[in-house]
Amino acid sequence: MKLTVVAATGGIGRHLVEQAVAAGHEVTAVARRPRGLPEGVHPVAVDLAAPAMAALGAAVRGADAVLSGLGPRDPRADVGITSRGTRAIVAAMQAEHVRRIIVVSAAPVGPVPVPGEPAPPRHDPGDGFFMRHLGARFARAMFGRHYADLALTEQILRESGLEWTVSRPPKLTDKPLTGHYRVALNRNIRGGFSVPRADVAHHMLRMLDEPETVKQVVGIAS
């Protein structure tokens, strides 16, 4: 496949690039400073905080799919980049007639209100007692503005008309790839408190061959 990886030098993006290359895909890597990439990867410099649409359009042109690990470096400070960047990615894909996109969100996002849906369910159906009453509340207190931006990002995708999939992991770790994780459609994973970034990337690539994940939110955890 011909893949475009956005935020290609970030925590999940670098795993996406490495695993996609190892699998034999043709990869275009989009990043603010696309350095240190594997041989054969086509680098495209785009700052998703203020994207140059011509460069972004060229990066997605002809792609079979776009995979985005876009997110703030500091979830408590650099708020808004995910929704702004995703809006630009969607516009570039629509202009270039590219359909498939898979993005990373976060497990606590489901109950976060967005314009047009001010009263979402109080809890994600996959959350157990701890997450319903303590974990999710603490996470939203710490990173509420970040989760609100991710909820807006998901809304942008739902309204895009594209063939989107949202991956919702819990706490991300830097443990090595295992290839063993639990997934579920439209719900979080009961008792799933963390997952390696490498495994999230592995699953994102796997979903390219899973049409049942199109226009779905997918929970993932170890």
Side-chain angles (χ1 to χ4, degrees), residues 100-183:
R100 188 74 171 107
I101 180 170
I102 301 176
V103 307
V104 176
S105 182
V109 167
V112 177
V114 291
E117 192 178 353
R122 291 184 59 192
H123 307 290
D124 185 279
D127 286 343
F129 178 87
F130 175 81
M131 286 303 298
R132 285 173 182 249
H133 298 284
L134 295 173
R137 186 178 302 176
F138 174 78
R140 285 194 290 271
M142 290 290 292
F143 305 111
R145 293 173 62 211
H146 172 53
Y147 294 142
D149 190 59
L150 290 178
L152 178 58
T153 298
E154 293 187 11
Q155 184 183 40
I156 290 167
L157 291 170
R158 288 194 298 270
E159 295 175 352
S160 68
L162 301 178
E163 296 175 357
W164 57 268
T165 302
V166 169
S167 175
R168 283 188 187 164
K171 179 182 177 181
L172 296 167
T173 75
D174 288 322
K175 293 181 179 179
L177 174 68
T178 70
H180 300 289
Y181 40 79
R182 296 175 290 156
V183 298

Side-chain angles (χ1 to χ4, degrees), residues 3-25:
L3 305 178
T4 299
V5 177
V6 178
T9 57
I12 290 174
R14 60 188 175 87
H15 290 292
L16 284 168
V17 170
E18 290 169 2
Q19 294 178 28
V21 169
H25 298 297

Side-chain angles (χ1 to χ4, degrees), residues 39-215:
E39 185 177 352
V41 172
H42 176 58
V44 177
V46 177
D47 183 352
L48 271 301
M53 292 306 297
L56 193 55
V60 304
R61 188 171 300 141
D64 295 302
V66 175
L67 301 106
S68 175
L70 183 62
R73 293 180 180 179
D74 182 350
R76 288 174 290 185
D78 189 16
V79 176
I81 188 172
T82 310
S83 62
R84 290 196 304 272
T86 301
R87 196 182 298 279
I89 295 164
V90 165
M93 291 177 64
Q94 290 169 335
E96 297 294 336
H97 307 289
V98 177
R99 301 291 302 160
R100 188 74 171 107
I101 180 170
I102 301 176
V103 307
V104 176
S105 182
V109 167
V112 177
V114 291
E117 192 178 353
R122 291 184 59 192
H123 307 290
D124 185 279
D127 286 343
F129 178 87
F130 175 81
M131 286 303 298
R132 285 173 182 249
H133 298 284
L134 295 173
R137 186 178 302 176
F138 174 78
R140 285 194 290 271
M142 290 290 292
F143 305 111
R145 293 173 62 211
H146 172 53
Y147 294 142
D149 190 59
L150 290 178
L152 178 58
T153 298
E154 293 187 11
Q155 184 183 40
I156 290 167
L157 291 170
R158 288 194 298 270
E159 295 175 352
S160 68
L162 301 178
E163 296 175 357
W164 57 268
T165 302
V166 169
S167 175
R168 283 188 187 164
K171 179 182 177 181
L172 296 167
T173 75
D174 288 322
K175 293 181 179 179
L177 174 68
T178 70
H180 300 289
Y181 40 79
R182 296 175 290 156
V183 298
L185 291 178
N186 300 307
R187 64 179 57 231
N188 290 336
I189 307 299
R190 184 67 59 93
F193 299 112
S194 67
V195 65
R197 290 177 173 86
D199 278 344
V200 174
H202 184 271
H203 183 239
M204 290 173 72
L205 289 165
R206 197 179 83 184
M207 287 192 291
L208 294 171
D209 296 318
E210 296 179 345
E212 65 273 18
T213 64
V214 172
K215 297 188 177 179

